């Protein structure tokens, strides 16, 4: 833009040189050159600087001031937003920096911590279906289902001293059923307390801590514990359960472990009474095929419950049991032993045996576990993903846990073509794994003809910006910290970035805080994208500081993250509002502001440029100098501020409903070089109209009373009035959200203009400040002429109508995605009830279960082998209590 | 979003809550009018503007055409005088020339006489900044503050500013109009006052306060090509003399462009000329004081009538016609495109 300014000045200066040479030289009789000027070229040189002064209004200082005001205003909106206020710990959202608002509308990569950010790190047993009866919902007196909140009365587990006090359940009927010794209910909880691979830890008597491979299993066992089936201890051969106050030791005969194909696990135990039972829990789709035909009716009812649970986003499992006959089992266990010691095809043989025994199961019911993510996390992630934001989870957790969370918060799902797991432990392994992944996503990315490969060869490695590549499907990538360390080394960086950025989701597990920052740095280095890091703990600080925008969750883990962040709030789900609503608005407002501001200053300044050709390139201004002073300061500053503080193309509800609206921001579609050139051209066009219409109208004409009107002052007044009205109409066109304030500002500015003009051009002002206000009487004499007004009207029409037509046709012929969305919204608004923003996250039945296990082999075999076992818990057999005696006192206490 | 509604902000918390106010302003929920470009509004704006522009354009063109205008370029006719004046030492020699023209029809109504100049850069910045409004208001201004340029010349002494003296330019040609009627020559009566803006005459320009004008201007330089000093511009009318001389005021209203015309005289509608200018032969008698040939200037004298929209400038009318047509055409094009698109859309929907 400065080049443009220099160019204009240069043209005018050369013009001046030529003019002085051609005409001014002969005109010296009347208009001698200034002192010291003795050649046309020197005069041109001086004129260059005069024009620099006159034309510098294309980049006015007030631009920077206004930008700051807008940023500040939009930051205040974030602070003030009630929908980002978390009432539980009284935390409003906070914008800690005011300079990054519009970047919030351009985020492409989000780097998120897991613990404390996505999750509350709590799993809880939420609902179940036992023998065709669903438990877990709370009903009020009239039988209406009510929402569970913190005021709902919890079930009293005081009859059970071993209960976990943190466990909350709201349906009293289930406890009743337990207390009434309902057989299926007891069997259900017995199953939960037996069929798992959880390790108990009891450092202090009664204070049980479970070490579960997956948090879900822990939740199930905890649930059983609270309902009176306390899993107390395990040895390789036994499981100790305190069953309604009665300690029972089950003999653990076999664990039929979980794997991804089986999607179920079973245990075979012998009860103290000597009954042999197989307990099985697993994904409904799998288990349903193994059921005994006699449970068909129950199956139907359970399915209904399962659908209901899954619809609420709960993770479900079906549980079943089977009584075994002694003879058959002895035969089976022998074959099992043989199979497990076989040298060849052990896996196959084992799974055949498993298949054989897990048949004709009796359905018991289903469990539903709520993964205690933070509220609204899956929805937020779904929305953000729709907004084309790539989410990278960087966590210190184990791979399985991380992936589980990934599944439960909808980061990874079954719609993905594949989830690549990078876990190589040498640099070459990692490279191969990355390459294979990339090959699968985009087979031709290794050809020499691929654009990016060509680009690689051309440019030096250091300043390389990798353009976005499109994968042939939706992929996820999981990488372990160990592999990441290799991948972050020099030559693998590029591979990592190219592969990882093609995936929709990347999960890095077991990463150190430093690696978190390195990953962010990597993406910043190779991608032209705005990154955002969100986290809550001290280990996220480096990442938050590295990313363009850091967001701190003001949660439990102290304030370090918040203190080093740019924005902070209490819950992860507020991120979507921050980005999709505030970020988008800020971005759009800023873009509109810049577009309009450049337009108005181009239109304003270029008139001088055209006038230069008619005034001997003498740096004569077109407008009154007061107008030049006040134009950016008073006449046009407030309407544009009003627009950029209040404008909303769509309101917050719609921008959350249509996350696609966020995409133009990421590609910076609203203000880039093309847009800038466009508004420059528009400004040039307007300035042409603004100069030549008054010129034509004034040229050799006179007033309707015969007096002359073609004088400089009338022309100046006419041009500035045209200009002001045109830019006001233009802002009216740009404003899509006319609040009272906008109305006030726009109309106010116009009336202020006329008021000030008439005042400045009045007799009194002239007599007092003669030198300052030489335009006396111009307003009165000029603005009373009909042809002046006709010229003004004409220039407005010519400036504005083409813009209207162009915008309309553009929206009709080449609608951008956001235009389409706006159209949809418009149509949706016509229908009386707009679609409810409440959407339930429905999972299809194939997706709904199996998450209760880790997505890897369990370690059932380890338990059975007895290796790695802790010494038997000293308190394992001491507990006895009766569920009905409230005054129970534990012996050991 | 479900969760957002499930945590209603608690009311009446004892501690002052940090919950933001629920005002429409802070929550960005101010009621607003949300205009959108719809086909109806766009088309109606195009067609309405088109119709309006066409109507106005027709009116303007008709009225501009009804203006009768006679323009005579006398720069060449007075080439002798030009030559004489080019040598500035001959400034005080009188030189007259004349230009004849014939009116085939009567010019009825008020007739105005203008002088026109071409190629005269009155809008040059150096020209503009050289004036001192305070002086023209008749105030005694500290000489040192005066810029050296043209208008100032009237009142400052001829001292160091010798070389700049040439600057004051007043097209001091005097033009008289004669009507040749049946071989008798009648001078057309012309009004020389009331030609300037009221504000200029009464507010902006004032003579220096002094018991008589010539003493007030004593010691001032006579600008070049001025036959008379400022205090002798109109010896008959005290209120038209010095700075408040109408010709002077009009000249001082700087034109916006290098080509311009200024009102010089108005026809005084008496006797033969009560209806305007009758058809016949006329002669302009020009006392030529002001050479323009050096900078390739042209001088005109113009007789014209006026209408409500001003003079004979057809620009506005044509511009209105053109833009009206363009708007209407664009309206049709947009309609066409819209209809085509809608067909396509319904086609796809089927």
């Amino acid at each position: 833009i400065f080049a443009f300014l220099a160019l204009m000045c240069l043209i005018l200066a050369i013009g001046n040189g030529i003019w002085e040479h051609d005409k001014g030289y002969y005109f010296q009789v009347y208009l001698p050159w200034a002192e010291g000027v003795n050649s046309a070229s020197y005069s041109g040189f001086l004129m260059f600087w005069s024009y620099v002064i006159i034309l510098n209004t294309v980049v006015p200082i007030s631009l920077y001031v206004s930008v700051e005001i807008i940023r500040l205003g939009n930051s205040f909106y974030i602070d003030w937003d009630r929908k980002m206020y978390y009432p539980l710990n009284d935390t409003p959202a906070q914008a800690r920096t005011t300079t990054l608002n519009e970047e919030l509308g351009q985020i492409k990569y989000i780097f998120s911590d897991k613990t404390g950010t996505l999750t509350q790190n709590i799993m809880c047993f939420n609902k179940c279906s036992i023998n065709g009866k669903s438990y877990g919902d709370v009903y009020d007196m009239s039988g209406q289902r009510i929402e569970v909140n913190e005021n709902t009365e919890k079930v009293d587990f005081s009859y059970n001293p071993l209960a976990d006090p943190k466990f909350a359940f709201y349906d009293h009927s289930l406890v009743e059923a337990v207390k009434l010794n309902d057989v299926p209910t007891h069997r259900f909880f017995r199953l939960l307390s037996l069929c798992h691979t959880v390790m108990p830890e009891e450092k202090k008597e009664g204070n049980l801590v479970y070490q579960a491979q997956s948090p879900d299993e822990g939740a199930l066992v905890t649930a059983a514990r609270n309902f009176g089936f306390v899993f107390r201890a395990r040895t390789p051969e036994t499981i100790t359960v305190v069953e309604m106050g009665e300690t029972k030791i089950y003999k653990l005969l076999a664990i039929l472990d979980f794997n991804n194909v089986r999607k179920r696990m079973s245990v075979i135990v012998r009860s103290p009474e000597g009954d042999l039972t197989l307990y099985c829990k697993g994904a409904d789709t799998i288990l349903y095929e193994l059921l005994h035909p006699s449970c068909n009716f129950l199956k139907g009812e359970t399915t209904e419950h399962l659908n209901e649970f899954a619809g609420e986003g709960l993770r479900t499992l079906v549980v079943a049991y089977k009584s075994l006959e002694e003879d058959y089992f002895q035969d089976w266990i022998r074959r099992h032993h043989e199979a497990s010691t076989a040298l060849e095809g052990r896996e196959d043989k084992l799974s055949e045996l498993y298949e054989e025994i897990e048949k004709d199961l009796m359905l018991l019911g289903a469990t539903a576990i709520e993964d205690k993510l933070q509220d609204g996390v899956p929805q937020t992630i779904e929305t953000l993903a729709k907004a084309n934001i790539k989410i990278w989870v960087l966590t210190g957790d184990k791979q399985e846990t991380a992936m589980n969370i990934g599944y439960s918060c909808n980061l990874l799902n079954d719609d993905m073509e594949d989830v690549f797991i990078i876990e190589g432990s040498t640099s070459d392994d990692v490279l191969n794994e990355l390459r294979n992944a990339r090959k699968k996503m985009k087979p031709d990315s290794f050809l020499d003809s691929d654009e990016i490969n060509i680009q690689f060869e051309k440019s030096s490695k250091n300043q390389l910006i990798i353009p976005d590549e499109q994968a042939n499907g939706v992929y996820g990538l999981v990488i372990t910290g160990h592999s990441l360390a290799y991948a972050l080394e020099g030559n693998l960086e590029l591979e990592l970035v190219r592969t990882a950025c093609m995936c929709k989701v990347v999960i890095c597990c077991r990463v150190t805080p430093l690696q978190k920052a390195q990953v962010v740095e990597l993406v910043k280095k190779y991608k032209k994208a705005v990154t955002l890091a969100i986290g809550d703990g001290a280990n996220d600080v480096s990442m938050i500081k590295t990313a363009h925008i850091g967001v701190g969750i003001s949660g439990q883990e102290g304030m370090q993250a918040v203190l080093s962040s740019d924005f902070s709030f209490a819950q992860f789900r507020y991120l979507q509002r921050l980005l999709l609503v505030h970020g988008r608005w800020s971005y759009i407002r800023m873009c509109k502001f810049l577009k309009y501001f450049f337009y108005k200053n181009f239109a304003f300044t270029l008139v001088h440029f055209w006038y230069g050709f008619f005034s001997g390139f003498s740096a004569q201004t077109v407008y009154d100098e007061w107008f030049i002073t006040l134009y950016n300061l008073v006449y046009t500053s407030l309407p544009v501020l009003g627009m950029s503080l209040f404008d909303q193309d769509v309101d917050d509800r719609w921008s959350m409903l249509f996350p696609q609206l966020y995409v133009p921001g990421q590609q910076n579609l609203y203000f880039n070089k093309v847009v800038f050139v466009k508004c420059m051209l528009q400004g040039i066009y307007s300035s042409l109209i603004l100069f030549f219409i008054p010129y034509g109208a004034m040229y050799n004409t006179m007033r309707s009373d015969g007096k002359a009107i073609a004088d400089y002052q009338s022309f100046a007044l006419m041009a500035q009035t045209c200009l002001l009205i045109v830019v006001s109409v233009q802002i009216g066109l740009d404003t899509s959200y006319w609040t009272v304030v906008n109305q006030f500002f726009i109309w106010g500015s116009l009336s202020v203009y006329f008021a000030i003009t008439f005042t400045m051009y009045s007799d009194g002002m002239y007599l007092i400040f003669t030198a300052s206000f030489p335009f006396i009487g111009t307003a009165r004499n000029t603005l009373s002429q009909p042809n002046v007004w006709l010229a003004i009207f004409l220039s407005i029409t010519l400036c504005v109508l083409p813009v209207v037509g162009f915008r309309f046709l553009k929206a009709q012929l080449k609608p951008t995605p956001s235009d389409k969305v706006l159209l949809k919204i418009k149509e949706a608004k016509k229908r009386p009830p707009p679609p409810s923003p409440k959407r339930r996250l429905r999972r299809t039945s194939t997706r709904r279960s199996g998450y209760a296990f880790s997505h890897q082999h369990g370690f059932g075999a380890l338990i059975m082998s007895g290796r790695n076992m802790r010494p038997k818990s000293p308190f394992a057999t001491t507990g006895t209590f009766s569920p009905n005696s409230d005054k129970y006192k534990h012996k050991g206490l | 979003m479900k969760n957002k509604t499930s945590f209603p902000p608690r009311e009446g918390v004892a501690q002052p809550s940090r919950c933001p106010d629920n005002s429409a302003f802070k929550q960005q929920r101010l009621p607003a009018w949300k205009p959108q470009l719809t086909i109806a509004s766009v088309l109606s704006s195009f067609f309405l503007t088109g119709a309006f522009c066409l109507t106005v354009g027709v009116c303007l063109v008709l009225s501009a055409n009804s203006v009768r205008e006679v323009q005579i370029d006398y720069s060449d006719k007075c080439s002798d005088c030009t030559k004489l004046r080019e040598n500035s030492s001959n400034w005080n020699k009188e030189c007259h020339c004349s230009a004849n023209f014939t009116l085939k029809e009567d010019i009825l109504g008020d007739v105005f006489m203008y002088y026109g100049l071409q190629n005269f850069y009155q809008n040059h910045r150096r020209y503009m900044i050289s004036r001192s409004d305070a002086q023209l208001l008749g105030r005694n201004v500290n000489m040192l503050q005066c810029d050296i340029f043209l208008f100032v010349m009237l009142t400052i002494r001829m001292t160091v500013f010798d070389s700049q003296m040439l600057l004051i330019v007043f097209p001091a040609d005097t033009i008289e109009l004669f009507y040749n009627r049946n071989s008798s020559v009648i001078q057309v009566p012309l009004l020389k006052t009331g030609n300037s803006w009221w504000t200029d005459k009464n507010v902006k320009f004032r003579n220096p306060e002094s018991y008589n004008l010539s003493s007030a201007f004593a010691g001032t330089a006579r600008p070049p090509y001025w036959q008379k000093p400022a205090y002798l511009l109109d010896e008959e009318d005290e209120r038209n003399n010095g700075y408040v001389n109408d010709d002077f005021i009009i000249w001082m209203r700087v034109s916006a462009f290098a080509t311009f015309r200024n009102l010089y005289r108005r026809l005084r509608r008496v006797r033969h000329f009560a209806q305007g200018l009758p058809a016949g032969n006329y002669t302009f008698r020009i006392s030529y004081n002001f050479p323009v040939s050096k900078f390739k200037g042209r001088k005109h004298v113009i007789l014209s009538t006026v209408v409500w929209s001003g003079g004979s400038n057809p620009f506005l009318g044509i511009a209105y016609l053109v833009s009206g047509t363009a708007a209407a055409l664009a309206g049709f094009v947009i309609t066409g495109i819209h209809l085509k698109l809608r067909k396509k859309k319904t086609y796809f929907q089927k």
Side-chain angles (χ1 to χ4, degrees), chain A residues 189-201:
Chain A
F189 284 114
R190 189 174 299 131
L191 186 150
L192 293 186
S193 62
L194 290 173
C195 177
H196 54 77
T197 56
V198 171
M199 305 294 278
E201 203 177 327

Side-chain angles (χ1 to χ4, degrees), chain B residues 110-222:
Chain B
D110 288 327
V111 179
F112 299 84
M113 188 165 134
Y114 300 87
Y115 58 83
L117 271 172
Q118 245 176 20
N119 233 346
F120 188 88
Y121 284 84
Q122 216 181 8
N123 57 1
H124 199 280
R125 184 159 166 277
R126 288 209 300 278
Y127 198 102
M128 299 266 200
I129 59 176
S130 64
R131 79 188 267 159
S132 161
D133 283 307
Q135 250 171 358
L136 298 173
L137 201 52
R139 295 189 180 152
N140 283 326
V141 176
N142 187 345
M143 301 296 173
L144 292 175
Q145 281 183 341
C146 304
D147 209 330
I148 48 178
F149 287 121
L150 77 171
F151 300 109
V152 185
M153 290 308 145
L154 278 169
T155 47
I156 54 177
R157 290 178 178 79
M158 286 179 80
T159 51
V160 289
F161 303 118
D162 244 0
S163 58
Q164 262 78 28
M165 276 301 40
L166 307 169
L167 269 177
I168 182 65
V169 178
F170 186 46
D173 294 2
T174 39
I175 306 166
E176 287 166 327
L177 182 59
F178 294 94
Y179 177 43
N180 309 323
R181 188 173 178 244
N182 309 329
S183 74
S184 68
V185 178
I186 308 167
Q187 183 169 9
V188 179
L190 295 170
L191 291 168
K192 56 183 174 185
T193 52
N195 297 339
S196 60
W197 290 1
W198 183 91
T199 43
D200 284 355
K201 178 102 179 169
N202 295 290
V203 184
K204 200 169 179 183
F205 291 84
R206 267 182 217 172
N207 278 322
E209 280 173 29
S210 176
Y211 59 96
N212 101 18
L213 209 49
S214 57
S215 67
F217 283 96
T220 61
R222 188 185 51 79

Side-chain angles (χ1 to χ4, degrees), chain A residues 30 32 80 82 85 90 589 611 614 618-619 648 695-696 699 706 711-712 737-738 767 770 774 790 826, chain B residues 10 17-18 20 27-28 30 33 36 114 123 125 139 166-167 169 204 253-254 256-257 291 295 313 320 338:
Chain A
Y30 303 112
W80 287 335
R82 274 173 90 90
Y85 166 77
D90 191 26
R589 285 168 185 170
Y611 193 53
F614 292 86
S618 59
Q648 309 176 359
Y695 169 71
Y699 184 78
D711 65 297
Y712 165 75
Y737 195 77
W738 285 72
L767 293 175
T770 306
L790 284 175
K826 218 168 84 186
Chain B
R10 282 174 299 177
S17 168
R18 289 200 287 158
Q27 302 304 317
Q28 305 201 56
L30 286 177
W33 173 56
Q36 267 177 327
Y114 300 87
N123 57 1
R125 184 159 166 277
R139 295 189 180 152
L166 307 169
L167 269 177
V169 178
K204 200 169 179 183
R253 185 146 280 280
V254 185
F257 300 102
F295 52 88
N313 181 356
Y320 261 102
H338 181 75

Side-chain angles (χ1 to χ4, degrees), chain A residues 693-713:
Chain A
I693 294 290
Y695 169 71
M698 285 258 177
Y699 184 78
N700 271 357
T701 192
M702 55 282 268
R703 291 161 44 144
S704 48
D705 59 358
K707 293 173 185 174
I709 201 182
D711 65 297
Y712 165 75
Q713 294 187 341

Side-chain angles (χ1 to χ4, degrees), chain A residues 19-39:
Chain A
W19 187 86
E20 293 287 355
H21 187 264
D22 273 6
K23 294 197 176 146
Y25 179 74
Y26 304 101
F27 205 61
Q28 283 194 60
V29 191
Y30 303 112
L31 196 62
W33 287 349
E35 261 179 300
V37 178
N38 42 29
S39 78

Side-chain angles (χ1 to χ4, degrees), chain B residues 28-48:
Chain B
Q28 305 201 56
R29 277 190 277 101
L30 286 177
W33 173 56
K34 287 172 251 181
Q36 267 177 327
L37 288 182
T38 59
I39 181 70
S41 64
V42 170
L43 280 186
S44 59
S45 70
F46 267 88
F47 284 122
L48 283 180

